Amino acid sequence: MATVEVSLKDVMTSIEGALGAAVVDYSSGMALGTLGGGKDLDLTVAAAGNTDVIRAKVRTMELLGLSGQIEDILITLESQYHLIRLVTGRSGNGLFLYLVLDKSRSNLAMARHQLKRVEEQLEV
């Protein structure tokens, strides 16, 4: 099992094109940890904003009567991918991993695979 800090370092070093990553509590919108980002990518603001995305999708699924769990949510921008992966382990209930990728330098399928691996090892 890996801590938040170790998991974020793993994400940033093992996923090609990673620009920033965060572990976020979506009940509060608070980032438990961030790594990367910069002046053009404020991960704390992004964490809070993406909390609203998760809440809206969960609410929509409830209204539609859909069962099952969200694995991940992908937002595609002109030059970036924003990947949100819910943490499903017993210690991660209410958390998600947030990853920003440089679209020109990343392989989305491999990033999703690596993020799933990190999520499975995360211990909070």
Side-chain angles (χ1 to χ4, degrees):
M1 299 317 255
T3 65
V4 168
E5 182 180 322
V6 169
S7 295
L8 291 173
K9 285 180 183 175
D10 189 6
V11 166
M12 293 300 291
T13 58
S14 69
I15 300 178
E16 183 71 28
L19 300 174
V23 175
V24 184
D25 176 343
Y26 68 81
S27 61
S28 68
M30 209 156 120
L32 303 181
T34 62
L35 191 60
K39 67 179 180 79
D40 294 331
L41 178 59
D42 185 332
L43 292 171
T44 304
V45 171
N50 284 303
T51 295
D52 292 336
V53 172
I54 299 271
R55 289 179 186 157
K57 186 59 190 171
V58 168
R59 192 170 43 253
T60 302
M61 288 178 64
E62 289 171 356
L63 291 171
L64 294 172
L66 298 175
S67 60
Q69 292 182 324
I70 299 169
E71 288 184 23
D72 58 37
I73 297 170
L74 172 65
I75 300 166
T76 305
L77 303 178
E78 188 174 316
S79 64
Q80 297 174 342
Y81 292 122
H82 291 232
L83 191 56
I84 301 166
R85 179 164 186 92
L86 273 67
V87 178
T88 57
R90 60 179 162 69
S91 69
N93 194 21
L95 302 179
F96 67 90
L97 286 163
Y98 173 61
L99 172 64
V100 179
L101 297 164
D102 179 328
K103 196 173 175 182
S104 67
R105 297 185 311 121
S106 62
N107 177 320
L108 184 56
M110 286 303 297
R112 289 183 71 220
H113 176 75
Q114 289 292 86
L115 200 59
K116 179 181 180 187
R117 179 189 56 76
V118 169
E119 177 259 327
E120 290 171 345
Q121 296 174 356
L122 178 64
E123 182 75 34
V124 180

mmCIF file of all heavy atoms in Angstrom, residues 9 43 58 71 82 92 94 108-109 116:
data_model
loop_
_atom_site.group_PDB
_atom_site.id
_atom_site.type_symbol
_atom_site.label_atom_id
_atom_site.label_comp_id
_atom_site.label_asym_id
_atom_site.label_seq_id
_atom_site.Cartn_x
_atom_site.Cartn_y
_atom_site.Cartn_z
ATOM 1 N N LYS A 9 3.894 10.787 -6.467
ATOM 2 C CA LYS A 9 5.211 10.675 -7.107
ATOM 3 C C LYS A 9 5.201 9.574 -8.159
ATOM 4 O O LYS A 9 5.771 9.740 -9.241
ATOM 5 C CB LYS A 9 6.290 10.400 -6.053
ATOM 6 C CG LYS A 9 6.652 11.608 -5.233
ATOM 7 C CD LYS A 9 7.718 11.290 -4.213
ATOM 8 C CE LYS A 9 8.009 12.504 -3.343
ATOM 9 N NZ LYS A 9 8.958 12.198 -2.269
ATOM 10 N N LEU A 43 -3.715 23.256 -9.131
ATOM 11 C CA LEU A 43 -4.336 21.970 -8.800
ATOM 12 C C LEU A 43 -5.334 22.075 -7.656
ATOM 13 O O LEU A 43 -6.291 21.297 -7.602
ATOM 14 C CB LEU A 43 -3.264 20.927 -8.486
ATOM 15 C CG LEU A 43 -2.424 20.508 -9.688
ATOM 16 C CD1 LEU A 43 -1.247 19.651 -9.249
ATOM 17 C CD2 LEU A 43 -3.269 19.756 -10.698
ATOM 18 N N VAL A 58 -22.686 11.683 -10.161
ATOM 19 C CA VAL A 58 -23.315 10.763 -9.197
ATOM 20 C C VAL A 58 -24.807 11.064 -9.098
ATOM 21 O O VAL A 58 -25.643 10.156 -9.121
ATOM 22 C CB VAL A 58 -22.619 10.860 -7.816
ATOM 23 C CG1 VAL A 58 -23.430 10.154 -6.742
ATOM 24 C CG2 VAL A 58 -21.207 10.291 -7.893
ATOM 25 N N GLU A 71 -15.838 4.494 -12.840
ATOM 26 C CA GLU A 71 -14.412 4.155 -12.820
ATOM 27 C C GLU A 71 -13.588 5.416 -13.023
ATOM 28 O O GLU A 71 -12.751 5.758 -12.207
ATOM 29 C CB GLU A 71 -14.081 3.129 -13.903
ATOM 30 C CG GLU A 71 -14.598 1.752 -13.599
ATOM 31 C CD GLU A 71 -14.176 0.746 -14.638
ATOM 32 O OE1 GLU A 71 -13.157 0.970 -15.335
ATOM 33 O OE2 GLU A 71 -14.856 -0.268 -14.756
ATOM 34 N N HIS A 82 -7.764 15.640 -18.956
ATOM 35 C CA HIS A 82 -7.975 15.693 -17.514
ATOM 36 C C HIS A 82 -8.699 14.404 -17.152
ATOM 37 O O HIS A 82 -9.811 14.166 -17.635
ATOM 38 C CB HIS A 82 -8.808 16.916 -17.119
ATOM 39 C CG HIS A 82 -8.068 18.196 -17.311
ATOM 40 N ND1 HIS A 82 -7.949 19.132 -16.316
ATOM 41 C CD2 HIS A 82 -7.393 18.690 -18.374
ATOM 42 C CE1 HIS A 82 -7.236 20.160 -16.766
ATOM 43 N NE2 HIS A 82 -6.895 19.905 -18.024
ATOM 44 N N GLY A 92 -10.412 4.505 0.711
ATOM 45 C CA GLY A 92 -10.477 5.637 -0.198
ATOM 46 C C GLY A 92 -11.864 6.103 -0.523
ATOM 47 O O GLY A 92 -12.062 6.875 -1.461
ATOM 48 N N GLY A 94 -14.885 8.186 -1.035
ATOM 49 C CA GLY A 94 -15.043 9.627 -1.057
ATOM 50 C C GLY A 94 -13.852 10.367 -1.633
ATOM 51 O O GLY A 94 -13.801 11.584 -1.594
ATOM 52 N N LEU A 108 -3.186 7.898 -23.710
ATOM 53 C CA LEU A 108 -4.334 7.896 -22.812
ATOM 54 C C LEU A 108 -4.634 6.506 -22.254
ATOM 55 O O LEU A 108 -4.903 6.365 -21.059
ATOM 56 C CB LEU A 108 -5.561 8.466 -23.520
ATOM 57 C CG LEU A 108 -6.824 8.610 -22.683
ATOM 58 C CD1 LEU A 108 -6.574 9.459 -21.446
ATOM 59 C CD2 LEU A 108 -7.940 9.194 -23.524
ATOM 60 N N ALA A 109 -4.572 5.487 -23.079
ATOM 61 C CA ALA A 109 -4.844 4.120 -22.609
ATOM 62 C C ALA A 109 -3.842 3.695 -21.540
ATOM 63 O O ALA A 109 -4.223 3.129 -20.506
ATOM 64 C CB ALA A 109 -4.829 3.144 -23.782
ATOM 65 N N LYS A 116 -5.101 3.412 -12.689
ATOM 66 C CA LYS A 116 -5.840 2.346 -12.006
ATOM 67 C C LYS A 116 -4.918 1.591 -11.052
ATOM 68 O O LYS A 116 -5.286 1.293 -9.910
ATOM 69 C CB LYS A 116 -6.443 1.378 -13.022
ATOM 70 C CG LYS A 116 -7.201 0.249 -12.374
ATOM 71 C CD LYS A 116 -7.782 -0.711 -13.387
ATOM 72 C CE LYS A 116 -8.524 -1.822 -12.652
ATOM 73 N NZ LYS A 116 -8.977 -2.862 -13.535
#
